[in-house]
């Protein structure tokens, strides 16, 4: 037996409109209906019939059809009982409940498919007494149950009113329930029928409905119905909330889809989708590329991935940027080198004065390229003090050989991803600086300056200098791997030129890969030429004095260099010349004229009194003071070594911010003099009676190294013997306990510093003679060099 619950059911279950009698009292006014003691029984599979309610049912089982036909022929009454389990196809007596509803068959309709539809109306509840027959249909003895009549009970009236209100709210919240249902509810006056009508159409299970039917107390039935309605209302409200939320989300999706379709149509009208056009342009551009096989395969794979993706997806921009980088890189695209060696030499000479060693090395490289046609580029490293033109020399080299120029500043770099790139899946990922530079200049064989390679940082984020090992190794850099590019790139044709101030700061493994070319500071004569050829014309142009007829003579220029600068390079000189040009520009602006020749008085008026003086070194020294030569990262410098004796027990005191090596040099010098006192003309007893104090000005500047060894020994011998050190004399060299003099480095810088200071003689180790010979003879004219092997020779030359 199949039925269709009508009111408060899911949309899929609604097949009929609710049906009620025209007068709600008709259903329960059974006083004029004669109810027999025995009735045919009609089992209902999935609903409970309540008194007064009219429902249509589809009868399909043979027993049920026979029972309906039998009752329709007689008094049209039938006993309706619900099945305990609706899945049972052929129910027995045990499968039926004991309380049901006496129903009247209102209409019997034969269906075309052979089935029968019956419209029945509940009349009165009954109790099943016993089964009198099972064939051809169930027939049972029954006992009708009377309904309690309630008069003037306010609590019951309030409960019924609440039932009506809750039912009306549920109807309003449920879009699948017809609006007419609320009108029907308002027109029901009989409380008992209202309870039965609402109960019949309640969206509850069969068990709860059967409980309602079996309750004899109508008040309790109303209370239980009210409780079930409250649950149903909460469920309806939640369902409505979820439905509205889903509808809102769907509406937004539909709106977005609609707008996307409109946008697509507009783009097609304007000549196609922008993204599609870009992808097609990329494919067209790729056809002209000289791809390596691996790059070609990866590009094809990435383009296919891009075509499958929508432009609004997050990964689209990642893949697009990667493909764009591959297209921008100059795969196997090289500029043509100029092999005219004479012209290249001319360009180098015009841009930089001196630096013959570097110019020679570049011309050798060009000569091999010209003869062989192809070779791995050398990895050069220019080491020297600041301001001597190491970085600018790189640009001159690129101009000389006709290559593109790019500079990479490595100072303070602390993340190896800056060299090798980031994985492209990271937010903000970029290729490394090497690949970015190659992409920018569109050439695979540029001159690339790795500026300040000695100042690369190192911390927990990585060691960039280790990442540079691959870049700067000619045996490896033809397969340089960038993490972002995810491909190997050939850097073997790039001419790498590194610059550094202090080679000791470079990691040993990296230093081993570099071809070191030492650059020393400039002599006064070199600075004069650089100023005349480059600095003065540049500053005149920068200050608007290009067309002004005035000149700075060499003696005046020499005065500026000696009195206002103390450096190996020319940066400070450039700043002093800029100060002079500003003052001259002010004179032109205020007076409209300028002096044709700059004098020393004009320089002193503009720059002030001389900052440095050589007179200090020319004065006769007292006993115990010797002049040493030192090397610093800004070039050569002069050091005074002062020694003083005082009464005491022979203690040695060292001051002047000295490093460990320098302290050990002082101890070595004292030990040598103590062991060779009589040979040096020193009373041995003096070491027991006098305290010795060695001081090296300037006290705030840290000093270290072995090159002051012979200077300290000379200062000690001078103080202990009372003999003064020869004036205009400087010295440099390391001493040993045996009295040997060993060679030291930085000879050119030290000699030029002595020349700047006005010193005339220098004592050094005989093995340093080759270093002096490399210095231009014009720069050291008038200076005398003494080459020694032992300390005895030093003391003979130094002490008066």
């Amino acid at each position: 037996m199949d039925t269709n619950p009508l009111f408060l059911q899911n949309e899929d279950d609604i097949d009929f409109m609710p049906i009620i009698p025209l007068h709600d009292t008709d259903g329960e006014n059974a006083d004029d209906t004669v109810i027999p003691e025995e009735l045919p029984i009609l089992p209902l599979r999935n609903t409970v019939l309540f008194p007064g309610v009219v429902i249509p049912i589809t009868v399909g089982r043979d027993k049920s059809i026979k029972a309906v036909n039998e009752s329709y022929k007689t008094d049209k009454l039938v006993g309706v009982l619900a099945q305990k389990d609706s899945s049972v196809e052929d129910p027995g007596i045990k499968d039926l409940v004991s309380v049901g509803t006496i129903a009247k068959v209102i209409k019997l309709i034969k269906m075309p498919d052979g089935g029968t539809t019956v419209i029945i109306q509940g009349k009165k509840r009954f109790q099943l007494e016993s089964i009198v027959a099972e064939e051809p249909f169930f027939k049972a003895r029954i006992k009708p149950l009377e309904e309690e009549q309630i008069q003037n009970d306010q609590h019951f009236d309030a409960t019924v009113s609440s039932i009506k209100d809750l039912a009306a709210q549920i109807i309003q919240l449920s879009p699948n329930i017809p609006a007419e249902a609320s009108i029907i509810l308002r027109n029901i006056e009989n409380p008992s029928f209202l309870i039965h009508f609402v109960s019949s159409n309640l969206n509850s299970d069969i068990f709860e409905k059967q409980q309602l039917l079996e309750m004899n107390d109508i008040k309790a039935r109303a209370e239980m119905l009210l409780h079930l309605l409250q649950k149903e209302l909460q469920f309806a409200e939640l369902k409505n909330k979820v439905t509205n939320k889903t509808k809102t989300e769907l509406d937004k999706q539909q709106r977005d889809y609609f707008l996307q379709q409109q946008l697509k149509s507009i783009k097609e009208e304007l000549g196609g989708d922008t993204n599609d056009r870009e992808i097609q342009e990329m494919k067209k551009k790729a056809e002209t590329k000289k791809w390596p096989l691996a790059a070609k395969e990866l590009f094809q794979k990435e383009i296919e991935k891009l075509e499958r993706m929508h432009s609004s997806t997050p990964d689209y921009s990642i893949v697009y940027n990667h493909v764009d980088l591959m297209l921008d890189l100059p795969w196997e695209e090289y500029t043509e080198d100029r092999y005219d060696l004479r012209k290249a030499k001319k360009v180098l000479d015009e841009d930089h004065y001196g630096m013959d060693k570097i110019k020679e090395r570049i011309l050798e490289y060009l000569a091999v390229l010209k003869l062989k046609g192809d070779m791995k580029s050398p990895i050069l490293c220019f080491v020297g003090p600041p301001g001597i033109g190491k970085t600018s020399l790189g640009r001159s080299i690129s101009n000389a050989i006709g290559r593109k120029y790019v500079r990479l500043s490595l100072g303070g770099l602390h993340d190896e991803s800056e060299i090798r790139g980031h994985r492209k899946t990271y937010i903000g990922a970029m290729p490394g600086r090497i690949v970015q530079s190659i992409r920018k200049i569109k050439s695979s064989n540029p001159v690339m300056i790795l500026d300040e390679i000695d100042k690369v940082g190192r911390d927990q984020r990585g060691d960039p200098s280790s990442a540079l090992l691959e870049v700067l190794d000619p045996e490896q850099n033809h397969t340089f791997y960038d993490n972002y590019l995810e491909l190997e790139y050939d850097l073997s044709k790039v001419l790498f030129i590194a610059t550094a101030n202090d080679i000791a700061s470079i990691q040993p493994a990296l230093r081993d890969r570099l071809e070191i070319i030492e650059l020393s500071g400039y002599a006064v004569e070199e600075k004069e030429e650089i100023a005349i050829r480059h600095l003065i014309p540049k500053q005149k142009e920068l200050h608007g004095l290009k067309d002004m007829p005035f000149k700075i003579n060499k003696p005046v220029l020499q005065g500026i260099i000696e009195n206002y600068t103390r450096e190996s390079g020319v940066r400070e000189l450039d700043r002093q010349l800029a100060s002079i040009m500003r003052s001259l520009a002010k004179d032109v602006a205020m007076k409209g004229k300028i002096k044709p020749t700059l004098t020393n008085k004009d320089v002193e008026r503009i720059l002030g009194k001389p900052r440095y003086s050589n007179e200090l070194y020319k004065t006769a020294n007292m006993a115990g003071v010797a002049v040493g030569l030192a090397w610093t990262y800004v070039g050569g410098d002069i050091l005074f070594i002062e020694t003083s004796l005082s009464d005491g027990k022979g203690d040695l005191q060292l001051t002047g911010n000295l490093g460990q090596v320098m302290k050990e040099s002082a101890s070595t010098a004292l030990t040598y003099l103590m062991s060779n006192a009589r040979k040096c003309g020193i009373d041995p007893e003096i070491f027991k009676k006098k305290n010795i104090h060695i001081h090296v000005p300037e006290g705030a500047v840290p000093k270290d190294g072995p090159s002051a060894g012979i200077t300290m020994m000379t200062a000690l011998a001078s103080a202990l013997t009372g003999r003064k050190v020869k004036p205009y004399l400087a010295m440099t060299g390391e001493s040993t306990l045996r009295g040997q003099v060993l060679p030291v480095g930085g000879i050119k810088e030290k000699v030029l510093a002595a020349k700047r200071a006005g010193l005339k003689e220098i004592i050094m180790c005989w093995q340093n003679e080759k270093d002096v010979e490399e210095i231009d003879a014009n720069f050291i004219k008038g200076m005398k060099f003494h080459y020694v092997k032992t300390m005895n020779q030093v003391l003979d030359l130094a002490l008066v």
Side-chain angles (χ1 to χ4, degrees):
M1 174 60 28
D2 298 323
T3 67
N4 287 291
L6 308 177
F7 176 46
L8 307 180
Q9 290 295 316
N10 294 327
E11 191 171 2
D12 295 342
D13 299 332
I14 296 297
D15 291 329
F16 301 96
M17 288 285 289
I19 301 173
I20 64 167
L22 293 173
H23 301 286
D24 53 14
T25 55
D26 292 350
E28 296 187 331
N29 189 10
D31 295 339
D32 55 350
T33 303
V34 179
I35 299 173
E37 292 182 357
E38 296 178 0
L39 278 177
I41 298 299
L42 180 63
L44 291 186
R45 190 198 297 264
N46 54 7
T47 195
V48 176
L49 179 64
F50 285 84
V53 178
V54 179
I55 61 171
I57 58 174
T58 302
V59 183
R61 293 187 285 229
D62 289 341
K63 281 187 178 183
S64 298
I65 292 171
K66 289 174 183 177
V68 170
N69 287 335
E70 180 65 25
S71 67
Y72 198 67
K73 291 174 186 176
T74 55
D75 54 7
K76 297 185 179 179
L77 294 178
V78 65
V80 176
L81 289 173
Q83 289 181 204
K84 292 177 181 176
D85 185 356
S86 59
S87 62
V88 177
E89 288 293 332
D90 189 12
I93 299 302
K94 294 179 181 179
D95 296 318
L96 302 177
V97 297
S98 59
V99 176
T101 304
I102 300 166
K104 183 176 181 179
V105 180
I106 296 173
K107 194 168 183 63
L108 191 66
I109 305 168
K110 299 288 184 182
M111 303 301 289
D113 59 358
T116 302
T117 297
V118 185
I119 297 175
I120 57 175
Q121 181 183 14
K123 289 294 183 180
K124 183 175 283 191
R125 296 183 306 124
F126 72 87
Q127 177 75 41
L128 182 69
E129 293 286 336
S130 61
I131 297 295
V132 296
E134 291 189 23
E135 295 295 339
F137 50 81
F138 289 118
K139 195 170 185 179
R141 188 182 299 280
I142 66 162
K143 175 188 175 184
L145 299 174
E146 297 297 330
E147 290 291 343
E148 181 185 355
Q149 297 296 321
I150 296 176
Q151 301 290 336
N152 300 324
D153 188 330
Q154 290 184 350
H155 182 75
F156 178 70
D157 292 342
T159 303
V160 172
S161 177
S162 296
I163 289 171
K164 191 179 284 191
D165 291 342
L166 287 173
Q169 289 180 51
I170 294 169
I171 291 168
Q172 191 175 0
L173 288 171
S174 304
N176 54 312
I177 299 175
E180 292 84 347
S182 59
I183 300 170
I184 294 168
L185 270 177
R186 285 200 299 271
N187 291 326
I188 297 174
E189 299 294 338
N190 188 322
S192 179
F193 176 66
L194 176 71
I195 292 168
H196 292 154
F197 180 74
V198 173
S199 299
S200 176
N201 294 294
L202 188 67
N203 190 17
S204 296
D205 57 30
I206 302 298
F207 176 73
E208 289 176 331
K209 288 186 177 182
Q210 184 63 30
Q211 274 186 306
L212 286 169
L213 185 67
E214 290 177 0
M215 285 182 174
N216 290 325
D217 186 354
I218 195 166
K219 288 183 181 179
R221 200 183 306 161
E223 293 282 354
M224 183 178 175
L225 177 60
L226 187 64
H227 176 69
L228 292 174
L229 281 173
Q230 286 172 339
K231 280 171 58 179
E232 183 61 30
L233 178 61
Q234 289 177 358
F235 178 76
E237 287 174 341
L238 182 61
K239 183 179 177 183
N240 191 53
K241 182 180 178 183
V242 172
T243 303
N244 288 338
K245 184 179 178 184
T246 308
K247 185 180 177 184
T248 304
E249 289 176 355
L250 284 172
D251 287 348
K252 186 180 182 301
Q253 289 175 3
Q254 288 168 350
R255 176 177 170 274
D256 291 348
Y257 176 76
F258 178 68
L259 290 173
Q260 288 285 354
Q261 291 301 111
Q262 280 189 322
L263 186 61
K264 189 176 179 181
S265 300
I266 292 167
K267 285 178 178 177
E268 286 174 356
E269 288 293 324
L270 293 172
D273 188 0
T274 309
N275 295 324
D276 290 339
R277 285 206 311 272
E278 285 179 345
I279 291 172
Q280 293 307 316
E281 287 171 7
M282 283 178 164
K283 285 182 174 180
K284 193 173 179 181
K285 191 175 178 182
E287 291 173 2
T288 63
K289 283 283 177 184
K290 301 175 185 176
W291 300 100
L293 183 61
K296 189 174 184 179
E297 289 174 355
L298 182 61
F299 174 80
Q300 196 60 39
K301 183 180 172 184
E302 295 288 276
I303 277 288
E304 288 172 2
K305 191 188 295 182
L306 207 59
E307 287 176 325
R308 292 194 301 269
M309 296 168 74
H310 192 272
S311 59
S312 60
T313 57
D315 285 349
Y316 184 89
S317 59
I318 294 173
V319 178
Y320 180 89
N321 290 336
H322 185 235
V323 172
D324 191 42
L325 170 66
M326 291 178 68
L327 286 172
D328 279 352
L329 284 174
W331 302 91
E332 298 182 20
E333 294 178 21
Y334 306 107
T335 54
E336 191 173 340
D337 291 336
R338 287 201 296 261
Y339 298 127
D340 189 340
L341 269 63
R342 289 186 180 84
K343 188 174 181 182
K345 188 175 188 308
K346 186 180 177 184
V347 170
L348 291 171
D349 288 338
E350 283 177 357
D351 290 345
H352 288 81
Y353 183 78
M355 298 190 177
D356 296 328
K357 192 187 293 186
I358 289 180
K359 293 174 182 177
E360 199 65 32
R361 181 66 183 85
I362 297 302
L363 293 175
E364 288 170 1
Y365 169 65
L366 275 178
V368 175
L369 267 182
K370 183 177 182 179
L371 296 175
K372 189 172 181 287
D374 180 34
M375 72 173 288
K376 289 179 179 176
S377 296
I379 315 293
L380 305 177
C381 180
F382 300 159
V383 177
I388 61 171
K390 297 185 297 296
T391 305
S392 60
L393 186 60
R395 185 180 289 277
S396 296
I397 292 169
S398 68
N399 292 335
I401 62 178
R403 289 192 184 184
K404 292 186 176 179
Y405 168 84
V406 62
R407 188 181 72 87
L408 216 64
S409 179
L410 300 180
L413 198 72
H414 50 66
D415 189 351
E416 65 173 305
S417 297
E418 293 280 344
I419 305 295
R420 283 206 182 103
H422 307 79
R423 299 282 177 197
K424 69 172 186 281
T425 49
Y426 294 133
I427 294 173
M430 295 193 320
R433 302 263 295 272
I434 303 283
V435 171
Q436 283 186 54
S437 300
I438 299 269
R439 177 188 194 177
K440 179 181 174 184
I441 56 172
K442 304 289 184 189
S443 172
S444 288
N445 66 334
V447 173
M448 187 173 288
I449 303 296
L450 303 177
D451 214 7
E452 312 292 358
I453 199 170
D454 58 328
K455 297 173 183 64
V456 173
R458 183 177 181 178
D459 59 16
Q460 73 278 2
R461 280 168 287 189
D463 182 9
S465 61
S466 296
L468 283 169
L469 295 177
E470 182 185 5
V471 177
L472 299 180
D473 190 342
E475 300 301 321
Q476 296 180 41
N477 63 11
H478 64 283
T479 56
F480 172 69
Y481 185 85
D482 186 274
N483 291 328
Y484 184 89
L485 182 60
E486 294 182 344
L487 282 170
E488 292 177 346
Y489 196 87
D490 185 5
L491 298 177
S492 63
K493 303 293 190 296
V494 178
L495 177 56
F496 287 104
I497 298 176
T499 70
N501 298 129
D502 183 11
I503 195 170
S505 302
I506 304 174
Q507 185 187 6
L510 185 59
R511 188 164 66 234
D512 184 58
R513 285 161 167 78
L514 303 172
E515 184 179 333
I516 307 293
I517 298 178
E518 298 272 359
L519 296 177
S520 52
Y522 295 118
V524 174
E525 291 80 2
E526 287 178 303
K527 290 182 181 179
E528 288 175 8
E529 288 298 325
I530 291 168
I532 292 167
R533 294 186 189 188
H534 302 287
L535 302 184
I536 293 174
K538 181 184 80 172
Q539 292 298 343
K540 284 176 75 174
E541 186 172 350
L542 287 174
H543 292 85
L545 301 173
K546 188 176 180 181
D547 300 323
M548 293 292 168
F550 77 93
K551 57 189 285 189
I552 303 176
N553 294 324
K554 275 193 175 184
V556 176
L557 198 55
Q558 184 178 346
I560 296 170
I561 294 168
E562 291 180 345
N563 298 329
Y564 295 93
T565 66
R566 268 292 186 274
E567 58 175 348
S568 292
V570 290
R571 283 201 182 119
E572 184 64 27
L573 175 60
D574 195 32
R575 284 191 283 270
Q576 299 299 339
L577 290 173
S579 298
I580 291 170
M581 297 303 167
R582 285 196 298 272
S583 179
L584 296 177
K586 185 183 75 173
D587 290 344
V588 172
M590 294 178 70
K591 302 174 184 176
K593 61 180 181 178
I594 192 170
K595 288 176 70 174
T597 306
L598 202 69
T599 64
N600 285 325
K601 286 186 178 180
D602 296 325
V603 172
E604 191 169 321
R605 175 179 59 84
I606 296 168
L607 298 180
K609 292 288 184 183
R611 297 180 188 176
Y612 306 101
S613 173
N614 293 331
E615 296 303 317
L616 181 66
Y617 309 114
K618 296 175 184 177
T619 55
N621 291 323
M622 60 181 283
V625 180
V627 179
L629 300 176
W631 180 92
T632 68
Y633 79 98
V634 294
D637 203 358
I638 301 297
L639 281 182
F640 281 106
I641 309 289
E642 300 176 351
T643 307
S644 177
L645 302 179
S646 59
D647 293 335
K649 298 179 180 179
D651 296 333
L652 174 65
Q653 186 179 1
L654 303 170
T655 55
N657 205 345
L658 307 184
Q660 187 62 32
V661 176
M662 210 162 179
K663 289 177 180 178
E664 290 171 359
S665 294
S667 299
T668 302
L670 182 60
T671 303
Y672 174 79
L673 290 175
M674 290 172 70
S675 60
N676 295 276
R678 297 198 185 278
K679 287 183 184 178
C680 299
I682 302 170
D683 181 9
E685 294 298 318
I686 198 170
F687 295 108
K688 299 177 184 177
K689 300 175 182 177
K690 297 288 184 182
N691 288 338
I692 302 171
H693 185 168
I694 298 176
H695 177 68
V696 185
E698 303 158 11
V701 179
K703 310 166 195 73
D704 204 1
S707 60
I710 65 171
T711 316
M712 284 185 166
M713 194 175 291
T714 303
L716 280 169
S718 172
L720 291 166
T721 60
R723 294 164 65 188
K724 293 181 180 180
V725 177
K726 195 174 181 181
Y728 307 106
L729 176 71
M731 59 193 76
T732 183
E734 182 180 354
S735 64
T736 70
L737 279 175
R738 295 175 297 146
Q740 302 292 314
V741 178
L742 302 181
V744 290
I747 292 299
K748 182 178 179 182
E749 285 81 2
K750 292 174 180 178
V751 169
L752 293 178
K755 174 72 173 173
R756 286 196 298 268
L759 299 171
K760 295 178 180 178
E761 296 180 60
I762 298 177
I763 300 173
M764 66 179 69
C765 175
W766 63 277
Q767 293 179 10
N768 285 127
E769 186 175 358
K770 63 182 185 305
D771 300 309
V772 176
E773 288 173 356
E774 290 182 3
I775 306 172
D776 191 325
N778 294 320
F779 302 158
I780 52 176
K781 189 182 291 184
M783 295 193 75
K784 188 175 181 182
F785 296 92
H786 302 283
Y787 302 109
V788 298
K789 292 184 179 181
T790 65
M791 272 308 303
N792 288 332
Q793 291 176 293
V794 174
L795 296 179
D796 290 343
L797 289 168
L799 300 181
V800 177

